């Protein structure tokens, strides 16, 4: 499997002389059609997962060259914007902690609003990655190889964003360590009956396992990057360090170590002594499978437990047994939407990316969007039905008067935004043309992402702003701090994702190669 | 460092001692600043003289000047010395008054034991006359909490919100601290009392020659025998001096009416305990007036039915603005003030037609909204209950009408039974408006040389048409004594710092003739300061001007023997201890002259109904606050009964009137699709009200249940020289108050002024949304039928007997939900209906067999009687005072972040928001659920259950996830979003600063550190609460930091105190055993204060306790009981007692089959009570029993309520 012996043509690319230049396709797109050849409907034919009739080494080049190329201007621009927005989040968080939770728009009736909405939103986003990696791996869905690495990375970053909010939303953030079961002189333990504590365990477990899974899968590819950098250093073709700024980019900085020297060091540490030996591969495969096995129940448990925050309460609109499956479906739904939302633009920006992430992949994911979107829609309907059928008028009022009816519900627009985005938009995927058009998919993915944020907002705010006693009903309005904190969390997410795109292997090389036709020539052995 | 911990008065004294006189300060004075600016330091600090610098150094321990080069070691040394000195100065005794005051014994020795509160009696004179007897809790010499004196005949241990809040006024850091002299050439100069005394001796000497020509006094109207004695002495010395007894909120109806009816002004006292029929005519007799507390108490005693068939009074209320009486009334009619007059005449005619009094001279009068038949039926009802029926006329009625009401009372035999009259002293009966108008004329004519104002603020609160401020400026010399900053003080030549009533000796006469002594609880915080009697005594030229001596002398003159005699001393001590000396005289019947009254009423004639161009105006004050409490944050943030508005005085009108005028409050969300682009707080329209040629701009706000074409205008707002808290809060409505009529007048016109105004209200939703199971009510006829019935609910699945439902529960949702039975055996045995105390289980922690939880006493519980609650909000403010609850300011309230632990939910019920059928009140605090939803969800165990059934908060453990508050079905938890507890602010950014002038004044007077929202400043940089304000805190209760959740604790500190007391006093016989605490041994703060006794609290396992008796009643129900939260606070269903001749009884509440008008084709044929709850066919009907959908969706009024306020 090791692909470390380059031929003459790739030597140049490896050496960074012709970095990232596309190799002419030997299997062009069907003439006069947008079909790249992967949308074949013949059951006898298996759609190719990697286009362009690539050799193994070419695939390696394509993937590695993204990480090895000088910082592209567009990346630098995007990174600057994202990092600035992330900086806003930091300022907002600092302001919040210094001043008090009152800088948000919360009140004594609506004690959670954007904070927990954002938490559930991000934790939901974080579901797609592990689902793709773990469940699709166990189900031997080979098409996952194109997206699993990016999706896993996205998971990690979304969980990081999610983790911020419960941490900062508490009134005394500096006392948040009370949540940890640390033996202390007060003799007080956390309350193990509280779903919030379950959250702490569930989310931290999930974050840990996802991180391990992602990182472990990356080790062979990081080792490849290390070896290529090392080779360039030996050949003496390494570039010098250049100024990584949008302005003055490319200015040589001779006193800095060469990027390849840094790569050898950093990737060397990260690859944990990976030597591509058969024994390594053997252990790797086993560990990967085990982690996939561990992750699979986590995909289901995390969002179930997050849903318990609401389901175990007594508040109408929260107190609903349908929440665990509904939340999991919603999380997968939102997570896939986010994967698509990120990867479709990348397909356009990055050369050769579309050979690895084909229309077939997009169509498959669109189908999942349609499936989970319909599940979520069904859940909305069932919730409503049960509120009516259960004959609990307090609960029915939450739906009829707090959410649906524009004449009664001040937040009706949030509810209908949710319905249109989450249930309405995905319906276009019943049409084949639609789910094969990257633009349409991207629009739907955007809508779903918005809709899923509103879903959490609707569940949280519209339920508690008017609960049992009309005497305490009160509206919630976000403040600029609310808004900027959320925007800032998007910045944190994008910053991390951009760093990942530039410096880490964004495809799982070994797995890609397994699904390439060359791997199957000697199947009979 | 040192002056922070030190007594302010000590510093003041010390610096004061270095002063000589004003003349000595001529050099280097660069003041020209006003008095309120500074705190305790005095002139020299600003002059920067050598002397002063030296003095500052002397204040610090030796070596203070070394601090600059301090090593750490040195620093610690110096700090230590400093603390020691500060500690000496702050010794608890330093604030004790000099004279002997006697504690109201709760079996504590008369020494100060740190941590142990002492109680002293005193009294609070009410503005306009009357007195409340108080019992003050003091901790190490500082008063912290006001409670009622149980021995006082008027309030019998209860208090008003005004009294509860008065303790905060004592610790107002912006009170006047030293005299200020307004030098004609050099401007304002800080002075001392010695300066003033020297000045006044020469100044007042000239009046000895001209008998006081050109000398005038304005004193606040109250009944103080000592003050009256001194006034008489001054009148004797200077015969031409004039006195004005000023009360800005005076109604003349009762005074002039009684003069008309009985020949001389009388005070009228009511006793409702024997009344069966009561008609309140424009009277808020349970909210305002000297005997409001007594009225609440005696009236509520007629409403406390426990069993079916218990007798109960019937109350008719005819009023223009909803009052406590109106909310309790069985029949409430909203009638404009002009037409209340007509109603009185019509009622009188109807009653007299039965009693044979010739009333043909009375004009024919019609009343909008009331048919003659209704009036006739009321009259008939009264006649049928002659001897037990009483009319309560409001003070705002015309004197003729008021007298007519007494005539009715007379013919109903109420005089002497339910109504007694006592002669009223000249100090109270004078017409304040006329006196002030006369004085104004004198001032304008330039005939007043010296004007002395005592505890009055006429520059602010004189009727606008007098233009009193300019008249005031014409007096050559003005002297003002007041305890707080005021507009009058600001405009005066001499501004003198007076004492608070808790700081000085005094006395007060009650309306019934009882006499109370006002004992100081603490030496004046800003010494030296003088009370009104001390200043009067000084001016009268007395030798000994000490308040103590004055009061004792008065006491002797009132027939208690001569000072020093043994009879005097024992009666004096007795009175000091008891706080009151009751009068022996019973009130009289009065000699009513029927013909005179009828003739006067006939002459007066009937009124026309008000119209849109000529509206009725009723001025009112809330909680006796006519403006003097503007800097008192507790009263500012106390929701007003009705609109629940805080920090403001919008002009109230009925929704239809507002609609007709086009000044409905702006919708908060429906105008625009996107509410986020709109102003997020409720917006009132600005209006201009013109009355008698005077006009003012205010905000229009709606109040359902108001009479149409009537404006209700609250007085006492819009003050400008008052302090940070009250500065420019609301609008000054005295501007349009006429100087000739009382509090009610006619002929106002309203114009839209353009623009909007932010209103903060603690309750934004007015409708019950058809959720009638929350506030349950039943007509008495059904109560008598079902009151003692019970129903046993069986669990069909397990065959267990679930629980017994009483009458109130049968009409609620509990009768419609399946029994909530755990399928698991619960070792704690605390989730099924009634745990069996004999069934022991093993407790691992204790390693022994213990009985189930909550079966061993004491187990605390509360019962709230909604048949007695008048919505007076005293419980809220008593709780605020007891539990150190911060105020949060207008902005934060508008965001829904008020911190008060008790909120008063009020709902307007009926199909027409403009004319609600009923006003329902429900005080809600933490109900202390046994299965508390908050406890299970707290991740850090910060809210846990006590063994005595209280739901406790461990503030130190709370990290503020707020999950508990979200999961609380009652939404009673309060979160400290900011550091409310330790910051003082006026509500943050007040977006409604009204005028440039006000802004300038504000800058010049109180605020360099002008408070925009303090909360947006990080706490470390923020100005902290001053040391004076902190002195108010109850040391038994933690001050919560930001980020912490809080809520009602059932006054856990009082429970603990009681437990200790019981143990010390040996009431518990077994040493290690927790025994019962006798019922009534202690009260929780809200229960203690509640005038109508609507709150009872105690051990629910003690069958003799009041609370368990109430819980046994068929009226008792659980709020949201179907959630199985098992709250310890239960509510007592309201029972209405309507007159069947006027209103048909409501539909049988137990007949769910055809309940309400939601119809829906439900078959009424079968008996719902017995059918299984599993039968799913009846889901809709079951639901409809507790939410009346017809009312929920289809009525116009409610959708308007929704539109108006989020």
């Amino acid at each position: 499997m090791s692909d470390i012996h380059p031929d003459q043509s790739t030597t140049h690319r490896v050496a960074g002389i012709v970095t990232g230049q596309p190799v002419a396709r030997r299997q062009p797109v069907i003439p006069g059609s947008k079909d790249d050849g992967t949308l074949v409907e013949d059951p006898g034919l298996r759609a190719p997962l990697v286009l362009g009739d690539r050799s193994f080494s070419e695939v390696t080049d394509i993937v590695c060259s993204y990480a090895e190329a000088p910082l592209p201007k567009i990346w630098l621009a995007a990174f600057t914007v994202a990092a600035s927005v992330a900086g806003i989040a930091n300022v907002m968080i600092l302001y919040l902690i210094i001043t008090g939770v009152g800088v948000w728009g919360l009140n004594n009736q609506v004690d959670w609003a954007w904070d927990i909405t954002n938490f559930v939103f991000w934790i939901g986003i974080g579901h797609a990655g592990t689902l793709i990696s773990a469940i699709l791996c166990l189900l031997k869905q080979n098409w996952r190889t194109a997206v699993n690495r990016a999706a896993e990375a996205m998971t990690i970053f979304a969980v990081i964003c999610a983790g911020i909010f419960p941490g900062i939303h508490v009134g005394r953030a500096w006392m948040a360590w009370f949540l940890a079961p640390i033996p202390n002189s007060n003799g007080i333990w956390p309350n193990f009956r509280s779903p919030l504590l379950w959250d702490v365990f569930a989310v931290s477990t999930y974050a840990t396992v996802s991180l391990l899974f992602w990182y472990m899968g990356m080790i062979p590819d990081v080792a490849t990057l290390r070896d290529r950098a090392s080779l360039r250093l030996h050949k003496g073709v390494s570039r010098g360090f250049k100024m990584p700024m949008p302005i003055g980019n490319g200015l040589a900085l001779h006193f800095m170590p060469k990027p390849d020297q840094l790569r050898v060091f950093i990737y060397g540490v990260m690859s944990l002594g990976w030597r591509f030996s058969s024994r390594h591969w053997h252990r790797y495969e086993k560990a990967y499978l085990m982690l996939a096995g561990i992750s699979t129940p986590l995909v289901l448990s995390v969002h179930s437990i997050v849903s318990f925050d609401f389901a175990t309460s007594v508040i109408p609109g929260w107190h609903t047994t349908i929440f665990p499956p509904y939340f999991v479906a919603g999380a997968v739904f939102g997570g896939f939407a986010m994967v698509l939302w990120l990867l479709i633009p990348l397909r356009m920006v990055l050369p050769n990316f579309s050979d690895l992430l084909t229309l077939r992949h997009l169509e498959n994911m669109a189908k999942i969007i349609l499936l989970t979107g319909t599940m979520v829609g069904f859940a909305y309907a069932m919730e409503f039905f049960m509120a009516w059928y259960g004959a609990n008028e307090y609960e029915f009022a939450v739906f009829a008067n707090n959410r649906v009816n524009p004449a009664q519900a001040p937040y009706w627009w949030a509810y209908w935004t949710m319905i249109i985005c989450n249930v309405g938009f995905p319906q276009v995927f019943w049409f084949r043309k639609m789910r094969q058009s990257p633009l349409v998919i991207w629009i739907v993915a955007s809508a779903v992402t918005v809709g899923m944020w509103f879903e959490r907002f609707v569940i949280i705010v519209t339920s508690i702003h008017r609960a049992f006693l009309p005497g305490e009903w009160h509206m919630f309005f976000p403040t600029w701090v609310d808004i900027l904190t959320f925007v800032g969390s998007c910045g944190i997410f994008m910053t991390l994702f951009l760093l990942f795109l530039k410096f880490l292997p964004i495809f799982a090389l070994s797995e890609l190669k397994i699904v390439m036709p060359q791997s199957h020539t000697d199947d009979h052995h | 460092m040192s002056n922070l911990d030190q007594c302010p008065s000590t510093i003041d004294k010390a610096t004061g001692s270095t002063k000589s006189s004003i003349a000595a300060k001529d050099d280097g004075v660069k003041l020209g600043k006003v008095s309120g600016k500074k705190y305790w330091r005095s002139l020299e600090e600003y002059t920067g003289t050598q002397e002063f610098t030296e003095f500052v150094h002397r204040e610090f321990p030796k070596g203070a000047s070394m601090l600059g080069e301090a090593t750490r070691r040195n620093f610690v040394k110096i700090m230590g010395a400093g603390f020691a000195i500060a500690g000496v100065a702050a010794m608890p005794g330093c604030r004790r008054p000099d004279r002997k005051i006697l504690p109201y014994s709760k079996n504590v020795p008369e020494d100060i034991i740190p941590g142990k509160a002492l109680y002293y009696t005193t009294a609070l004179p009410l503005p306009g006359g009357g007195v409340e007897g108080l019992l003050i809790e003091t901790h190490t010499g500082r008063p912290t909490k006001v409670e009622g004196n149980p021995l006082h005949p008027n309030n019998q241990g209860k208090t008003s919100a005004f009294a509860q809040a008065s303790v905060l006024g004592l610790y107002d850091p912006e009170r006047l601290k030293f005299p200020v002299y307004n030098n004609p050439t050099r401007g304002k100069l800080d002075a001392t009392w010695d300066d003033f005394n020297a000045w006044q001796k020469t100044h007042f000497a000239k009046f000895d020659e001209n008998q006081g020509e050109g000398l005038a006094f304005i004193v606040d109207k109250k009944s103080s025998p000592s003050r009256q004695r001194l006034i008489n002495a001054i009148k004797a010395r200077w015969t031409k001096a004039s006195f004005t007894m000023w009360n800005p909120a005076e109604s003349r109806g009762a005074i002039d009416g009684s003069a008309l009816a009985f020949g001389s002004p009388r005070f009228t006292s009511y006793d409702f305990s024997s009344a069966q029929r009561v008609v309140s005519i424009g009277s808020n007799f349970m909210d305002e007036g000297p005997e409001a507390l007594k009225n609440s108490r005696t009236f509520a005693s007629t409403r406390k039915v426990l069993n079916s068939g218990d007798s109960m009074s019937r109350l008719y209320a005819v009023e223009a603005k909803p009052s406590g009486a109106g909310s309790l009334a069985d029949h409430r009619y909203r009638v404009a003030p002009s037409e209340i007059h007509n109603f009185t005449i019509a009622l009188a005619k109807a009653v007299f037609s039965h009693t044979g009094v010739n009333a043909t001279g009375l004009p024919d009068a019609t009343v909008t909204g009331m048919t003659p038949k209704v009036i006739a039926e009321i009259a008939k009802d009264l006649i049928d209950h002659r001897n037990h029926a009483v009319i309560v006329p409001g003070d705002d009625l015309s004197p003729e009408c008021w007298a007519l009401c007494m005539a009715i009372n007379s013919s109903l035999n109420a005089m002497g039974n339910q109504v007694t009259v006592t002669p009223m002293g000249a100090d109270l009966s004078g017409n304040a408006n006329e006196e002030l108008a006369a004085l104004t004329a004198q001032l304008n004519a330039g005939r007043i040389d010296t004007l002395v104002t005592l505890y009055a603020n006429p520059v602010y609160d004189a009727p606008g048409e007098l233009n009193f401020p300019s008249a005031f400026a014409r007096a050559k010399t003005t002297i003002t004594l007041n305890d707080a900053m005021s507009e009058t003080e600001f405009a005066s030549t001499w501004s003198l710092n007076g004492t608070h009533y808790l700081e000085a000796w005094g006395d007060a006469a009650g309306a019934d003739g009882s006499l109370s002594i006002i004992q100081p609880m603490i030496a004046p915080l800003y010494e030296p300061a003088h009370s009104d009697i001390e200043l009067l005594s000084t001016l009268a030229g007395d030798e000994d001007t000490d308040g103590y001596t004055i009061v004792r002398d008065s006491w002797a003159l009132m027939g208690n023997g001569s000072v020093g005699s043994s009879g005097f001393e024992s009666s004096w001590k007795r009175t000091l201890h008891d706080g009151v000396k009751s009068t022996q005289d019973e009130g009289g019947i009065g000699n009513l002259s029927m013909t005179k009254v009828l003739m006067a009423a006939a002459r007066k004639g009937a009124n026309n109904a008000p119209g849109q161009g000529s509206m009725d105006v009723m001025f009112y004050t809330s909680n006796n606050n006519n403006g003097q409490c503007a800097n008192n944050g507790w009263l500012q943030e106390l929701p007003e009964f009705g609109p629940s508005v805080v920090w403001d005085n919008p002009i109230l009108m009925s929704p239809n009137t507002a609609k007709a005028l086009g000044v409905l409050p702006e919708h908060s969300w429906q105008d625009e699709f996107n509410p986020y682009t709109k102003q997020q707080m409720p917006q009132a329209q600005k209006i201009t009200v013109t009355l008698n040629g005077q006009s003012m701009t205010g905000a229009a706000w709606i109040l359902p249940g108001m009479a149409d074409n009537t404006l209700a205008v609250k007085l006492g707002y819009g003050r400008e020289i008052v302090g940070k808290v009250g500065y420019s809060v609301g609008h000054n409505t005295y501007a349009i108050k006429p100087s000739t009529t009382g509090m009610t007048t006619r002929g106002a016109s309203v114009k839209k002024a353009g623009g909007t105004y932010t209103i903060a209200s603690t309750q934004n939703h007015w409708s019950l949304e058809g959720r009638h199971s929350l506030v349950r009510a039943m007509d008495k006829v059904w109560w008598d039928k079902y009151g003692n019935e019970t129903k046993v609910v069986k669990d069909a699945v397990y065959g267990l007997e679930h629980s017994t439902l009483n009458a109130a529960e049968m009409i609620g949702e509990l009768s419609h939900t399946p029994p909530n039975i755990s399928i698991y055996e619960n070792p704690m045995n605390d989730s099924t209906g009634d745990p069996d105390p004999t069934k022991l289980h093993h407790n691992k922690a204790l390693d022994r067999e213990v009985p189930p939880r909550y079966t061993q006493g004491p187990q605390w519980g509360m019962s709230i009687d909604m048949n007695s609650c008048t919505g007076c909000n005293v419980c809220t403010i008593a709780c605020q005072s007891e539990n150190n609850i911060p105020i949060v300011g207008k902005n934060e309230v508008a965001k829904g972040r008020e911190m008060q632990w008790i909120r008063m939910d009020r709902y307007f019920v009926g199909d027409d928001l403009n004319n609600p059928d009923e006003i329902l009140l429900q005080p809600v605090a933490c109900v202390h659920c046994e299965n508390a939803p908050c406890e299970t969800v707290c991740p850090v165990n910060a809210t846990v259950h006590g063994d005595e059934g209280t739901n406790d908060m461990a503030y130190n453990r709370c990290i503020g996830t707020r999950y508990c508050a979200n999961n609380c079905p009652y939404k009673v938890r309060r979160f400290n979003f900011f550091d409310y507890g330790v910051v003082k602010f006026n509500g943050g950014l007040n977006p409604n600063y009204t005028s440039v002038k006000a802004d300038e004044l504000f800058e010049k007077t109180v605020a360099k550190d002008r408070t925009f929202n303090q909360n947006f400043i990080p706490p470390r940089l923020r100005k902290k609460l001053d040391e004076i304000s902190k002195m108010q805190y109850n040391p038994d209760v933690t001050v919560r930091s930001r980020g912490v959740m809080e809520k009602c604790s059932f006054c856990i500190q009082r429970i603990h105190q009681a437990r200790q007391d019981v143990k010390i006093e040996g009431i518990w016989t077994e040493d290690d055993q927790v025994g019962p605490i006798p019922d009534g041994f202690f009260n929780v703060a809200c229960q203690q204060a509640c005038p109508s006794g609507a709150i009872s609290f105690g051990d629910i396992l003690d069958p003799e306790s009041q609370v368990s008796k109430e819980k046994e009643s068929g009226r008792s129900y659980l709020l949201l009981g179907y959630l199985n939260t098992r709250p310890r606070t239960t509510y007592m269903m309201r029972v209405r007692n309507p007159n069947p001749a006027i209103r048909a009884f409501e539909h049988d509440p137990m007949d769910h089959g055809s309940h309400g008008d939601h119809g829906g084709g439900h078959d009424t044929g079968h008996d719902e009570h017995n059918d299984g709850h599993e039968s799913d066919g009846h889901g809709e009907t079951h639901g409809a029993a507790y939410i009346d959908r017809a009312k929920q969706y289809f009525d116009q009024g409610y959708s308007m309520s929704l539109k108006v306020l989020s």
Side-chain angles (χ1 to χ4, degrees), chain A residues 76 92 95 110-111 129 159 163 220 248 278 282 284 287 314 373 383 425 519:
Chain A
L76 273 171
M92 288 302 118
Y95 181 53
V110 185
D111 281 277
V159 172
S278 303
H282 178 74
Y284 172 87
V314 298
E383 231 185 355
F425 271 90
S519 320

Side-chain angles (χ1 to χ4, degrees), chain B residues 130 207 237 534 669 742 777 898 931 1091 1160 1198:
Chain B
F207 294 117
R237 182 176 174 190
E534 286 166 347
W669 54 272
E898 67 272 12
N931 286 343
Y1198 288 122

Side-chain angles (χ1 to χ4, degrees), chain A residues 27 79 198 248 250 254 284 310 343 346 419 463:
Chain A
Q27 201 183 60
F79 182 78
W198 310 341
H254 298 293
Y284 172 87
F310 311 106
L343 294 187
L346 278 184
I419 292 288
S463 301

Side-chain angles (χ1 to χ4, degrees), chain B residues 846 848 856-858 947-948 1059 1062-1064 1066-1076:
Chain B
L846 298 174
R848 62 180 158 97
Q856 303 295 299
D947 285 337
E948 295 176 359
R1059 192 181 294 119
V1062 162
K1063 199 155 199 170
I1064 290 165
I1067 295 174
W1068 290 347
T1069 44
E1070 298 135 277
D1071 285 342
D1072 60 335
Q1073 196 58 45
V1074 176

